[in-house]
Amino acid sequence: MTTRTIQGQKNLQNINQASKDGIGGSPLRPDGNLKVKGEFAYSSDLWHEDMLWGMALRSPHPRANILSVDISEALKVPGVYAVLTHEDIPGAKYYGLEIQDQPALAIDKIRYHGEAIALVAADHPETARRAVKKIAVEYEVLTPIVTEEQCLDPETHGYVHEPHEYKSHAYGNVCHEQRLVSGLGVTDEVRALADVIVSGDYEVGMQDQAFLGPESGLAVPAEDGGIDLYIATQWLHVDREQMAPVLDLPEEKVRLTLAGVGGAFGGREDISMQIHACLLAQHTGKPVKIVYSRDESFYGHVHRHPARMHYEHGATRDGKLVFADCRIVLDGGAYASASPAVVGNAASLGHGPYVIPNVKMHAIALYSNNPSCGAMRGFGAVQAAFGYESQMDKLAAELGMDPVELRQLNAMSEGDFMPTGQQIDSPAPVAELLRRVKDMPLPPPLDTEHLDVRQLPGALSNTSHGEGIVRGVGYSVGIKNVGFSEGFDDYSTARVRLEVIGGEPVAMVHTAMAEVGQGGVTVHAQIARTELGVEQVTIHPANTEVGSAGSTSASRQTYMTGGAVKLAAEAVRRELIEKGRRRYGWTHQDITLAGGKVVSESAGVLVSMVDLLGDEAVDLTREHHHRPTQAFDKETGQGFGHVQYTFCANRAVVDVDVELGLVKVVELTAVQDVGKALNPLSVVGQIQGGCTQALGLAVMEEIIVRDGKVRNASFTDYLIPTILDTPPIPVEILELPDPHAPYGLRGVGEAPTVSATPSIVAAIRNATGLALNRIPVRPEHLTTEQPG
Amino acid sequence: MEFLRPATWDEALAAKAEYPTALPISGGTDVMVEMNFDVHRPSAILDLNRITELTEWSNDGSVVRLGASVPYTRIIEELSGPLPGLALAAHTVGSPQIRNRGGVGGNLGGASPAGDAHPALLAAGRDVFVEAASVRGTRMIPIDEFYVGVKRNSLAADELIRAVHIPVADGPQQFSKIGTRNAMVIAVCAFGFALHPKNGTVGTGIGSAAPTPRRAVEAEEYLRDVLAERGLWESGDLLGAEVVQRFGELVKAAASPIDDVRGTAEYRRHSLAVMARRTLTWCWNDYSKQIRSAA
């Protein structure tokens, strides 16, 4: 062992220069080129020798009693290895994210259109399809319970779940409820304090996550009696937690590895085919692959809760908000999924980023025979933002005020209190975001001399050569929480290993984080480079060999798992430096890692990591917990409920063909505070993507359900924005650090999805003068609705 | 499922005679989607992709003979001069990938009321013919007799579509389509319009607003008579708001749409009237310019 101290051998200035691919840089994502070239391996591309194909029989009815299921003919089909019903389930028959109310296969009852009843495993997907058709089910078809009025009158219309089966605080087809009262609440005395009162009823249609990679995975039975599942999901460990009891296996025998994920947006937070594939694999002893078809995908995952909302706002003559009274009814569909959290968000964020002295709020999620609804980007906050931002515009019009000024006048800022009583203890630059978005230059007016139909509403459908086009501008701002709330400890785990490979120090980052396209793996490598002063970082496949990373949702992964990678990397750094101290007897207090070396600010390079590490590795695992939160009081909604808040402001410019009701969003500007942009390119991409998904909700995206039946389970009729619908999205980023968060960062992914939709609707209102109380806005709303 | 791959047209006709339920496929942009969605599983598929003559077109100066499989991309690139209405319709079909594969033969074979080519074919006049062939021989089906019901056409079970014969445009033609997004969308409704100065007629075609694609006969007759009575073909003078309005109303009256997930019947009627007014105005403005520059 050498005891030589290496001092000042290299120019410290150069070595201390941080890697351009560390945090704050914008290295490109590793999956980008592969995806563009069609070479990325998605979960639907998985293959195993001797594998079988699994397929489910799904109910054509939204509500029915199952009188009998006859699988005998299906079993006779050559090539069929198994046909399973709920009777074949070895363990628990029910599962669920928060409330275990969903049967893995229907038991006696059908509660939604598309509910799985039986499973087939066969040697070919066509064989499986034919066998599924041979399963004979006798139904007693019942009238579905689908409207708010029907759900809230169970005496007349019945129960979706029998009350004695409720596994939570549900009552009378209400799955979950949250009330909130702050200040004096909203009483006649409070109302009397307002000079102006505006009210409105608003409706949000059922949006779908519309990810392009269908639900798919491969279950492989293992020799130890356990099972290995390769799966596209958002949270490996919570899948396992729900799967193991159904499979009657201890959790350690259910091993999950993340497969290539083709988009998620909340739609993979629930179980889809995970349990089904494993049941078939367990039963046949063979690997089983399941890939949903596109229509099955629309039945096989939860959607965004449709909402009906009533809002009443009171203000003084000079525009100061006095009170807000809100009722939000979310349709949760057949099973609970994430409904309780959605209700919690709607209730606690449903007043918007405004200081309102007196608030009354009542939010509920219904059980119905409509498709189950659960997690989708911005949940709870998205629906409410359409309500409160519509109200802000209405109030501004009533007061004769500029709508942006009205918002700024009431905007919350650091130190203010949420109606939940939680003090905002980090930057909340709501008024500043609005100022900046308003100051951004407007796009030029429509060039009527040199018309390009592609720039007009209708584009190449050639509906206008300039006729009927009216421009409108609208503004909005929104609030979203980051991370899991209401007392939930959604910690993240990261393992970081540092060793010499090929003569170079290489860091390996191992987490169970689901990379669903958000760019987390890029950020993890950046964090490792910055904290460890290395260039080479490998990302271990995400699996359940390491502790939970929590869900890739709630804008939380960079904060939570990024934070865990930071903690683990810091621990590795300390360990390595300690190793050096022990070996070389360093006494410097200013030692750090940079450029593959151990360096001292004062003394220069001490030793190369290669020499210090030799054949040894430093391999440490750390958990990152955010500060604790509290449940909201059921009646008053009071509590320190959220980890962090995030804000985005938007301006939409639209051209509307007012005769045909066609809309072209010309520009959608976003200004967002992100605390610290770990990867500015990815941050801009997230904001633009979030804005585009919000645009979809504003003008086209809706699952159309009639009498409980889904009518448009295809990308032919469930429309998402194309490039011709997607405008330039200029983004301005603020970086006001949050002292409670790693690097001061603030979750990015959801805030623009919350705030952008109302700005587009406001712009369409501005162009048409119509009230537009329902989204998505459809052409017929613009041509047949009366001016509001 | 049988998979038939004839190498020649005669082999294709023989195969169709032997397997009358065989579903012809060329671009597959409709057939494959329906199979993937399990809408139907034909007993046999008749793949026409080896028959290269189906991807050829010819123009004798008065009529274009368009092979059933000429993809929309080539219609846009090669035929926007002689078939401007159809080329505009082709622009609105699906995505670039779909336009590279799909052709008019498939639109006619499927006979969906939402097929984008139909309004343009109807507007191109009454002398548009579908060339249908079987081992029994060839017949020319007038376009007005081709569409017989929802997704039904007048082909016999043993017949295949070989080509479509479309008169070369002798006046301006337009096509408009409503969709709830700005690209890649099935028509909520569509309208094709053409001026035929040579025989003093006009052509119309309504898509997605009736059980079949259809012509707005009364609108055509009204406009034909107005143009003749007022000497407008010769003068190229302005039509006047009243004529344009009336034309739109008659087009609207010719539709019999339904409410469905893509739109309401009321909206379809409304937008057809708007599209009719606009396409007429665009065509007439172009025609006027031609007349005046020639004068």
Side-chain angles (χ1 to χ4, degrees):
Chain A
M1 188 194 285
T2 169
T3 53
R4 192 160 53 98
T5 305
I6 303 167
Q7 288 192 359
Q9 283 193 342
K10 294 250 172 88
N11 183 338
L12 197 58
Q13 219 63 37
N14 286 340
I15 286 181
N16 267 346
Q17 245 173 23
S19 165
K20 70 175 173 53
D21 289 340
I23 65 162
S26 288
L28 296 178
R29 49 194 305 159
D31 52 336
N33 286 349
L34 293 173
K35 283 177 175 169
V36 170
K37 292 197 296 195
E39 291 167 1
F40 184 81
Y42 290 98
S43 55
S44 50
D45 300 318
L46 292 163
W47 187 86
H48 197 290
E49 206 171 330
D50 289 338
M51 75 179 185
L52 302 177
W53 296 77
M55 203 168 283
L57 168 71
R58 294 178 179 275
S59 168
H61 310 293
R63 186 178 178 219
N65 289 323
I66 300 172
L67 303 179
S68 67
V69 180
D70 181 356
I71 62 169
S72 54
E73 290 302 311
L75 277 170
K76 287 180 194 162
V77 176
V80 168
Y81 282 71
V83 182
L84 308 181
T85 68
H86 74 87
E87 291 176 357
D88 302 297
I89 293 174
K93 304 219 175 187
Y94 291 84
Y95 70 94
L97 266 184
E98 301 183 30
I99 300 165
Q100 287 74 50
D101 65 351
Q102 181 158 7
L105 290 167
I107 305 172
D108 302 335
K109 275 187 172 185
I110 295 297
R111 295 191 180 86
Y112 74 96
H113 180 203
E115 181 155 16
I117 300 165
L119 303 171
V120 169
D123 57 6
H124 190 278
E126 276 298 301
T127 313
R129 186 188 63 79
R130 278 199 288 273
V132 162
K133 288 197 167 168
K134 288 188 186 291
I135 302 171
V137 182
E138 207 181 337
Y139 299 98
E140 179 194 0
V141 177
L142 304 171
T143 306
I145 307 161
V146 291
T147 67
E148 178 186 344
E149 292 70 26
Q150 288 167 350
C151 293
L152 295 180
D153 182 7
E155 293 304 315
T156 307
H157 300 282
Y159 289 89
V160 178
H161 298 261
E162 292 305 317
H164 69 267
E165 296 170 343
Y166 286 148
K167 290 163 184 156
S168 62
H169 301 296
Y171 68 91
N173 287 329
V174 174
C175 171
H176 192 80
E177 173 175 52
Q178 179 68 56
R179 291 175 189 275
L180 183 148
V181 182
S182 77
L184 302 168
V186 180
T187 59
D188 289 346
E189 289 74 25
V190 168
R191 280 200 170 80
L193 299 173
D195 300 318
V196 173
I197 295 176
V198 292
S199 65
D201 290 288
Y202 303 97
E203 200 177 328
V204 179
M206 185 187 288
Q207 190 180 19
D208 190 74
Q209 299 84 357
F211 44 69
L212 300 187
E215 290 82 348
S216 43
L218 176 68
V220 184
E223 284 181 2
D224 66 351
I227 205 147
D228 290 285
L229 178 68
Y230 301 85
I231 181 70
T233 184
Q234 287 178 233
W235 187 356
L236 293 166
H237 285 75
V238 86
D239 281 3
R240 176 163 80 166
E241 198 179 301
Q242 294 172 89
M243 291 162 63
V246 181
L247 303 173
D248 197 25
L249 288 171
E251 281 197 9
E252 62 273 18
K253 286 202 171 179
V254 182
R255 294 168 292 257
L256 278 71
T257 301
L258 189 73
V261 183
F265 313 108
R268 292 187 212 270
E269 199 155 299
D270 284 82
I271 293 283
S272 59
M273 43 56 65
Q274 287 89 328
I275 292 173
H276 294 167
C278 291
L279 285 171
L280 290 169
Q282 250 184 336
H283 195 87
T284 60
K286 282 172 163 286
V288 174
K289 173 173 172 172
I290 292 182
V291 182
Y292 283 1
S293 60
R294 179 58 59 195
D295 54 335
E296 189 173 20
S297 175
F298 276 99
Y299 298 115
H301 63 254
V302 300
H303 317 289
R304 188 190 292 295
H305 287 68
R308 290 171 72 178
M309 306 179 285
H310 179 79
Y311 270 89
E312 190 177 59
H313 280 84
T316 60
R317 179 59 57 197
D318 55 7
K320 270 285 188 189
L321 288 169
V322 174
F323 74 86
D325 190 355
C326 336
R327 175 182 156 83
I328 299 176
V329 179
L330 302 151
D331 184 354
Y335 297 106
S337 179
S339 278
V342 179
V343 169
N345 280 2
S348 59
L349 305 168
H351 56 283
Y354 304 111
V355 177
I356 311 177
N358 307 292
V359 174
K360 190 168 105 204
M361 163 70 78
H362 184 204
I364 60 171
L366 302 170
Y367 274 131
S368 74
N369 292 120
N370 288 318
S372 291
C373 290
M376 183 177 171
R377 199 175 196 169
F379 67 53
V382 163
Q383 293 92 333
F386 175 59
Y388 61 71
E389 286 300 87
S390 297
Q391 284 285 100
M392 287 304 113
D393 286 339
K394 209 174 212 180
L395 184 60
E398 187 71 26
L399 290 164
M401 280 181 77
D402 177 272
V404 173
E405 278 173 32
L406 174 73
R407 286 173 169 86
Q408 288 173 314
L409 183 66
N410 293 288
M412 59 173 46
S413 50
E414 186 168 359
D416 284 331
F417 288 85
M418 297 287 286
T420 58
Q422 182 171 8
Q423 190 170 25
I424 310 266
D425 56 1
S426 71
V430 178
E432 174 69 5
L433 297 176
L434 286 161
R435 184 187 69 76
R436 285 173 183 263
V437 82
K438 197 176 179 182
D439 284 351
M440 301 266 273
L442 279 161
L446 193 63
D447 181 357
T448 48
E449 292 298 302
H450 308 91
L451 278 175
D452 178 345
V453 291
R454 287 172 300 183
Q455 301 305 320
L456 295 175
L460 286 170
S461 292
N462 191 39
T463 46
S464 170
H465 295 173
E467 300 94 332
I469 309 291
V470 180
R471 180 155 290 191
V473 179
Y475 292 89
S476 64
V477 64
I479 179 171
K480 178 69 183 57
N481 61 312
V482 173
F484 282 27
S485 305
E486 301 184 58
F488 201 94
D489 180 18
D490 53 317
Y491 69 93
S492 281
T493 315
R495 174 183 158 223
V496 173
R497 179 183 175 90
L498 185 65
E499 63 190 319
V500 178
I501 298 174
E504 244 191 300
V506 177
M508 187 270 288
V509 179
H510 183 188
T511 75
M513 178 198 69
E515 170 62 57
V516 305
Q518 81 275 22
V521 294
T522 318
V523 163
H524 289 181
Q526 291 177 259
I527 292 170
R529 284 189 198 104
T530 293
E531 298 303 334
L532 296 173
V534 297
E535 279 303 314
Q536 297 300 321
V537 183
T538 58
I539 302 292
H540 191 284
N543 58 26
T544 47
E545 284 171 19
V546 66
S548 175
S551 180
T552 302
S553 58
S555 306
R556 65 176 286 288
Q557 277 299 18
T558 302
Y559 190 127
M560 291 307 301
T561 309
V565 173
K566 178 171 186 275
L567 288 180
E570 286 167 346
V572 167
R573 185 177 67 210
R574 279 194 301 273
E575 173 88 10
L576 189 68
I577 293 169
E578 272 315 304
K579 195 182 179 75
R581 287 190 197 279
R582 286 195 301 272
R583 185 183 298 173
Y584 302 113
W586 300 327
T587 54
H588 315 81
Q589 293 307 304
D590 57 358
I591 300 177
T592 186
L593 305 180
K597 311 277 195 294
V598 182
V599 298
S600 154
E601 296 276 340
S602 52
V605 172
L606 300 177
V607 69
S608 74
M609 288 187 207
V610 171
D611 287 343
L612 182 53
L613 281 162
D615 293 338
E616 292 173 23
V618 182
D619 190 328
L620 295 170
T621 300
R622 289 291 180 272
E623 277 180 11
H624 178 220
H625 299 253
H626 56 67
R627 54 185 177 159
T629 58
Q630 301 169 336
F632 296 123
D633 181 271
K634 280 289 145 216
E635 292 305 314
T636 66
Q638 299 300 295
F640 190 94
H642 294 304
V643 177
Q644 187 187 50
Y645 295 99
T646 168
F647 307 90
C648 181
N650 292 95
R651 181 185 65 205
V653 179
V654 302
D655 281 338
V656 182
D657 183 332
V658 296
E659 283 184 282
L660 287 174
L662 301 177
V663 175
K664 166 83 181 176
V665 181
V666 174
E667 187 187 78
L668 185 55
T669 307
V671 182
Q672 186 170 335
D673 172 30
V674 304
K676 163 78 183 170
L678 265 58
N679 184 317
L681 185 64
S682 284
V683 163
V684 170
Q686 278 274 13
I687 294 171
Q688 291 176 330
C691 286
T692 306
Q693 208 150 19
L695 185 158
L697 177 60
V699 295
M700 64 182 82
E701 290 190 41
E702 182 174 8
I703 293 193
I704 295 172
V705 183
R706 296 275 182 270
D707 299 323
K709 290 199 180 185
V710 174
R711 302 295 302 277
N712 57 338
S714 73
F715 280 148
T716 307
D717 285 314
Y718 183 87
L719 301 181
I720 54 177
T722 70
I723 193 65
L724 276 177
D725 301 284
T726 309
I729 305 178
V731 174
E732 192 179 333
I733 292 170
L734 266 67
E735 294 185 276
L736 307 177
D738 176 352
H740 311 287
Y743 301 115
L745 73 86
R746 205 173 279 287
V748 171
E750 292 173 295
T753 309
V754 173
S755 57
T757 303
S759 72
I760 295 166
V761 181
I764 301 172
R765 286 190 193 111
N766 181 241
T768 62
L770 298 171
L772 305 179
N773 291 331
R774 188 187 194 283
I775 47 173
V777 175
R778 298 174 64 95
E780 58 261 33
H781 299 152
L782 297 176
T783 53
T784 57
E785 225 180 73
Q786 296 305 308
Chain B
M1 187 187 297
E2 294 283 333
F3 186 66
L4 310 167
R5 288 205 82 196
T8 66
W9 182 244
D10 287 342
E11 280 179 34
L13 295 182
K16 185 65 173 153
E18 193 180 345
Y19 299 90
T21 58
L23 187 63
I25 185 170
S26 180
T29 57
D30 198 15
V31 170
M32 289 311 297
V33 172
E34 298 223 326
M35 282 177 58
N36 283 335
F37 275 97
D38 211 12
V39 175
H40 51 74
R41 299 271 163 161
S43 59
I45 294 258
L46 181 59
D47 176 13
L48 301 173
N49 278 293
R50 291 172 73 191
I51 302 165
T52 53
E53 66 150 272
L54 295 178
T55 62
E56 290 162 10
W57 59 266
S58 61
N59 180 355
D60 68 4
S62 61
V63 174
V64 172
R65 181 179 181 277
L66 179 69
S69 303
V70 175
Y72 290 109
T73 300
R74 286 182 51 211
I75 294 174
I76 295 165
E77 287 170 358
E78 300 166 18
L79 291 166
S80 59
L83 306 177
L86 186 63
L88 282 169
H91 267 293
T92 75
V93 174
S95 61
Q97 295 91 329
I98 302 277
R99 293 195 287 273
N100 286 340
R101 295 284 306 171
V104 174
N107 239 210
L108 289 166
S112 159
D116 293 316
H118 309 314
L121 293 177
L122 285 165
R126 290 181 187 268
D127 291 331
V128 172
F129 296 94
V130 178
E131 183 183 332
S134 70
V135 288
R136 297 175 289 118
T138 295
R139 62 182 182 129
M140 301 290 272
I141 308 173
I143 195 73
D144 286 273
E145 293 169 21
F146 187 78
Y147 310 108
V148 296
V150 177
K151 297 197 172 186
R152 285 193 300 120
N153 58 35
S154 55
L155 289 179
D158 62 349
E159 282 182 322
L160 292 171
I161 299 167
R162 190 174 200 173
V164 195
H165 297 250
I166 311 161
V168 170
D170 62 323
Q173 301 188 349
Q174 282 289 347
F175 176 88
S176 276
K177 165 174 148 183
I178 302 284
T180 28
R181 72 179 165 196
N182 290 315
M184 281 180 70
V185 68
I186 306 275
V188 171
C189 59
F191 185 70
F193 181 75
L195 291 171
H196 301 299
K198 271 190 188 156
N199 63 9
T201 63
V202 304
T204 61
I206 293 173
S208 275
T212 65
R214 66 162 63 152
R215 192 180 287 290
V217 177
E218 283 184 40
E220 288 182 358
E221 290 171 355
Y222 164 75
L223 193 58
R224 179 197 64 198
D225 293 348
V226 166
L227 295 176
E229 284 161 15
R230 301 188 189 176
L232 292 168
W233 287 116
E234 294 74 23
S235 69
D237 284 350
L238 286 177
L239 292 175
E242 190 191 323
V243 171
V244 174
Q245 187 70 25
R246 176 81 183 131
F247 178 72
E249 290 304 313
L250 288 170
V251 168
K252 176 178 172 176
S256 44
I258 56 167
D259 290 338
D260 65 16
V261 293
R262 292 177 191 145
T264 62
E266 188 190 357
Y267 175 74
R268 288 184 160 105
R269 285 200 194 87
H270 167 83
S271 57
L272 274 171
V274 176
M275 288 191 290
R277 295 198 300 264
R278 288 184 182 177
T279 51
L280 167 58
T281 305
W282 301 336
C283 283
W284 191 257
N285 286 347
D286 285 351
Y287 179 75
S288 289
K289 265 184 228 154
Q290 286 167 22
I291 290 290
R292 287 171 189 181
S293 63

